[in-house]
């Protein structure tokens, strides 16, 4: 089930919320757990078993680590077992086909293999499980004795399918006690509505433009069209993913949970370093905490530090998908970050801020070409068009067509990529002097946005979700 | 006898080497490195020992000041882990669950995995099972017309449809080129089924029933749909051919 679907918005969510608020407090976790399992099983009737088995296994491994806490060596073995099994599961379901394809490309023989479809959300819930195991091992979190609470942590429907990747220590206390209030509910609803609008109105529209442009043969479209396509994709993936994250955070709030924000207006960054502090924060936090720091982070000599960065970024890229272009995308950012840290970081800061913004945006856009392309070859061809060699002219009617017919969309997208958009809304809502009028204005605006989103949702057949295949 | 200064600070000037750490109560016994508020030379437990009974406060306000645990809560054990000594069940259980997972994966591989066969091999096997009295093969334009899909996007397409307008019989077999297309095709199939159902709703309830009992099977890169009285038999032929 997707958040941006009629079933979820008008059937699943109202029923779940009603039940959640009606039942006594001690049953709330159970209600949420059952709802989450239904939510997952709706789209994955077979793989729900896998998730349940993963939950049971990680629960037991948590207990196992606790049992062995007095014996450092056995404790470490228990940790290694848990982490390895989780990684094997993820690796098998996600990367097995890629591995076989790559082997077949290299070897003289062609090994046939039977492939399995990818379980939805496996990258997210496996990482959350490992976050729990490692936090328990480090003594930063207590073992969760209640398997239902643990299952809820792993499978909670707001963050199950597409994140944010919630660290166990962030939610440990909230599983036991959290506050529900009308105010929190309202805030959550605001987040949710904004997220839905981002996804359904902005992301889907941008996605359509990108698809139309990218579908064409190389060499038939101009430089400007290629850039329009790339920019559209950049907007699509941002609004898609941050919209979903907003919905997840909003839903969390409505159920009393507080998640950390996952995006912080990444497109206003002035450097790649800053970009990755603002994009998919929960993922980079996870890799920093559980891979980068254990490897030594930056508390080692320079060459080791560079190696650590390259490893972490290759893995980050690879996490996104079992394909070479994702690995290259990750490596691309790893190299850029190293260069910013060791070569031109300081000089960069002395440049005028407009230049810094352009620098960051261009590099990010080039990165997206790798991310969005079905193959490396395609990526390089597309870049070729963007930078001249492969294009048919600098600008053509098509580019102007897209810009002139979608100028409002792009304007809204630009406003929404920085705090400007939301601040404008807030300004409008706080204009009136009386509290009552302010409430009405806010209500009208948010309900209006919601209804427009639903209209888009119902009429559009194009509703992909890019981060869905993780 | 005067001992040599040890080269370290000798604050209390007794010519005995200070232990290198603060020796607040100046008893020449090394402070434990933690505050020793009640100055009894015994290490405070590292947490505030308000009632100064040298028993570790449990971390929560221990009102009874008798050093006994006031509340039965997990916090009181003083360690982050609620560990009492449990027997080592978890150590064994984790292997059991891992084995269950492996068994589950094996079952998955047998029943839901894709295939090493080529499209033509599977196609032939499925075709052989079809009852062609009603079903006739439709060319690739049919895929576009009925499902909105471009057959050129996929590795193989086989579409059989009923020639009679009052019949919803249809069999579709597609082999996609990559995983991303699977969802796309599934969505198109679902849409087709919904549309057909709408077309026949109210007119021909038996046809609607056929649609509701349609057999859809996704095996790796193969997607199979059968709307027919013998749909299950067709699906079995498909599954066997993989």
């Amino acid at each position: 089930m997707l958040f941006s679907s009629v079933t979820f918005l008008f059937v699943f969510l109202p029923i779940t919320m009603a039940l959640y608020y009606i039942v006594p407090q001690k049953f709330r976790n159970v209600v949420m757990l059952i709802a989450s399992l239904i939510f997952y099983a709706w789209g994955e009737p077979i793989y729900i078993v896998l998730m349940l088995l993963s939950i049971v296994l990680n629960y037991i491994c948590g207990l196992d680590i606790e049992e062995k806490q007095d014996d450092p060596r056995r404790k470490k073995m228990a940790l290694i077992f848990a982490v390895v099994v989780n990684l094997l599961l993820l690796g098998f379901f996600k990367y097995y086909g890629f591995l076989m394809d790559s082997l077949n490309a290299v070897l003289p023989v062609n090994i046939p293999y039977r492939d399995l479809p990818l379980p939805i959300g496996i990258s997210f819930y496996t990482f959350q499980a490992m976050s729990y195991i490692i936090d328990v091992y480090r003594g930063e979190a207590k073992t969760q004795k209640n398997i239902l609470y643990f299952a809820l942590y792993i499978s909670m429907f707001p963050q199950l399918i597409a994140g944010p990747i919630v660290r166990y220590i962030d939610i440990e206390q909230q599983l036991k006690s959290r506050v529900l209030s009308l105010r929190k509910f309202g805030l959550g609803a605001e987040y949710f509505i904004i997220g839905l609008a981002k996804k359904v109105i902005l992301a889907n529209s941008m996605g359509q433009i990108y698809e139309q442009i990218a579908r064409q043969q190389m060499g038939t479209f101009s430089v400007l069209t290629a850039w329009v396509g790339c920019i559209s994709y950049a907007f699509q993936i941002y609004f898609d993913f941050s919209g979903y994250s907003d919905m997840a955070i909003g839903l969390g709030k409505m159920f009393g949970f507080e998640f950390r924000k996952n995006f912080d207006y990444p497109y206003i960054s002035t450097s790649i370093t800053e970009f990755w502090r603002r994009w998919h924060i929960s993922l980079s936090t996870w890799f920093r905490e559980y891979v980068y720091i254990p490897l030594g982070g930056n508390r080692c000599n320079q060459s080791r530090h560079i190696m650590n960065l390259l490893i972490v970024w290759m893995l980050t890229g690879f996490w996104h998908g079992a394909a070479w272009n994702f690995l290259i995308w990750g490596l691309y950012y790893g190299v850029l970050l190293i260069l910013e840290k060791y070569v031109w970081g300081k000089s960069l800061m002395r440049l005028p801020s407009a230049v810094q913004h352009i620098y960051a945006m261009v590099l990010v856009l080039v990165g997206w070409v790798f991310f969005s392309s079905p193959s490396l070859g395609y990526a390089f061809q597309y870049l070729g068009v963007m930078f001249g060699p492969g294009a048919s002219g600098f600008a053509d009617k098509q580019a102007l067509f897209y810009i002139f017919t979608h100028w409002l969309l792009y304007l809204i997208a630009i406003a929404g990529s920085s705090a400007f958009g939301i601040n404008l809304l807030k300004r409008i809502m706080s204009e009136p002097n009386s509290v009552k009028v302010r409430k009405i204005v806010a209500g009208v605006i948010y309900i209006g946005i919601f209804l427009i989103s639903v209209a888009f949702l119902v009429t559009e057949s194009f509703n992909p979700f890019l981060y869905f295949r993780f | 006898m005067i001992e040599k200064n040890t080269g370290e600070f000798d604050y209390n000037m007794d010519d005995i080497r200070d232990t290198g750490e603060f020796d607040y109560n100046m008893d020449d016994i090394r402070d434990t490195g933690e505050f020793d508020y009640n100055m009894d030379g015994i290490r405070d437990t590292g947490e505030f020992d308000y009632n100064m009974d040298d028993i570790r406060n449990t971390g929560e306000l221990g009102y009874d000041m008798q050093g006994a645990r006031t509340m039965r809560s997990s916090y009181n054990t003083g360690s982050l882990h609620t560990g009492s000594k449990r027997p080592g069940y978890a150590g064994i259980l984790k292997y059991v669950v891992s084995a269950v997972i492996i068994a589950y994966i094996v079952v998955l591989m047998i029943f839901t995995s894709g295939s090493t066969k080529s499209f033509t091999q599977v196609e032939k096997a499925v075709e052989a099972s079809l009852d062609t009295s009603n079903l006739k093969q439709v060319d690739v334009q049919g895929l576009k017309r009925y499902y909105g899909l471009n057959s050129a996007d996929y590795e193989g397409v086989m579409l059989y449809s009923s020639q009679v307008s009052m019949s919803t019989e249809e069999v579709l077999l597609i082999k996609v080129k990559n995983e991303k297309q699977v969802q796309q095709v599934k969505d198109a199939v679902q849409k087709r089924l919904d549309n057909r159902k709408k077309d026949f709703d109210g007119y021909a309830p038996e046809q609607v029933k056929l649609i509701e009992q349609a057999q859809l099977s996704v095996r790796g890169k193969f997607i199979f749909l059968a709307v027919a009285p013998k749909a299950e038999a067709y699906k079995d032929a498909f599954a066997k051919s993989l």
Side-chain angles (χ1 to χ4, degrees), chain A residues 317-348:
Chain A
F318 204 42
W319 176 91
H320 284 81
W324 286 107
N325 59 314
F326 290 116
L327 255 172
I328 301 291
W329 177 80
L331 206 55
Y332 167 81
Y333 275 120
V335 169
L336 279 174
L337 285 165
I338 292 169
L339 288 171
E340 278 192 6
K341 228 175 269 287
Y342 284 110
V343 178
W344 61 55
K346 296 213 178 67
S347 336
L348 182 64

Side-chain angles (χ1 to χ4, degrees), chain A residues 145-424:
Chain A
K145 297 292 173 120
N146 185 333
I147 192 171
L148 292 177
Y149 284 22
F150 180 69
L152 180 60
Y153 162 63
I154 298 286
S155 69
M156 200 172 352
F157 75 85
Q159 38 89 140
L160 172 61
I161 302 277
I165 299 175
V166 179
R167 287 184 67 190
Y168 182 69
I169 50 178
D170 284 342
I171 210 146
E172 185 180 10
Q173 198 47 37
Q174 298 183 61
L175 286 170
K176 270 202 299 255
S177 70
R178 53 189 177 275
V179 174
L180 294 176
S181 73
L182 197 58
R183 185 167 186 280
K184 216 166 167 182
F185 185 89
L187 257 159
E190 283 179 26
Y191 262 94
F192 183 81
I193 289 173
I194 297 287
L196 182 67
K198 276 186 183 177
K199 162 83 180 83
V200 170
I201 300 176
L202 293 174
N204 287 359
S205 309
M206 288 293 180
Q208 274 186 315
I209 298 175
Y210 169 71
E211 291 268 317
Q212 284 168 11
I213 294 179
R215 195 181 291 172
Q216 301 169 84
Q217 286 276 64
M218 287 297 162
T220 61
F221 55 98
S222 66
V223 172
L224 192 56
T225 308
W227 280 92
V228 169
C230 185
I231 291 172
S232 304
Y233 183 82
F235 280 133
Q236 179 193 7
I237 193 165
Y238 170 63
F239 287 116
D240 203 89
F241 198 20
S242 74
Y244 220 81
S245 295
D246 282 349
M247 285 197 270
I249 293 172
L251 283 172
K253 273 200 217 285
M254 290 198 273
F255 288 90
F257 288 98
E258 292 288 342
F259 300 144
R260 290 180 193 264
K261 67 180 168 192
N262 210 14
F263 288 87
D264 188 15
Y265 303 112
Y267 290 156
I268 65 172
S269 302
T270 53
S271 70
I272 299 298
T273 314
E274 189 184 351
F275 177 76
W276 277 102
R277 280 197 218 115
R278 293 172 176 271
W279 179 278
H280 204 347
I281 297 171
S282 65
L283 183 71
S284 47
T285 305
W286 194 98
F287 271 105
R288 186 191 70 218
E289 272 305 310
Y290 301 116
V291 183
Y292 184 64
I293 290 178
L295 280 177
N298 59 1
R299 291 169 196 235
C300 47
N301 61 41
Q302 183 172 325
S303 59
R304 180 64 197 260
H305 180 213
I306 291 178
M307 174 70 31
N308 290 344
L309 281 170
L310 286 174
I311 292 175
V312 167
W313 283 99
M314 271 204 320
L315 290 175
T316 303
F318 204 42
W319 176 91
H320 284 81
W324 286 107
N325 59 314
F326 290 116
L327 255 172
I328 301 291
W329 177 80
L331 206 55
Y332 167 81
Y333 275 120
V335 169
L336 279 174
L337 285 165
I338 292 169
L339 288 171
E340 278 192 6
K341 228 175 269 287
Y342 284 110
V343 178
W344 61 55
K346 296 213 178 67
S347 336
L348 182 64
M349 288 198 280
R350 278 180 252 145
L351 295 172
S353 85
V355 176
Q356 293 183 45
H357 282 291
I358 294 175
Y359 156 85
M361 257 343 282
V362 169
L363 285 175
V364 165
L365 286 171
V366 169
W368 288 133
V369 175
F370 284 109
F371 192 86
S372 62
S373 300
S375 72
L376 268 184
Y378 182 95
F380 283 115
Q381 282 184 310
Y382 195 93
L383 284 172
V385 180
M386 276 171 73
F387 288 99
S392 72
F394 180 73
D396 57 10
K397 287 212 197 77
Q398 192 186 33
L400 299 173
F401 168 76
Y402 281 119
I403 298 173
F404 287 130
T405 50
H406 293 97
W407 62 272
L408 184 59
L409 183 68
Y410 284 113
L411 219 58
I412 297 176
I414 294 171
S417 300
S418 72
F420 177 78
I422 199 77
N423 285 341
L424 186 64

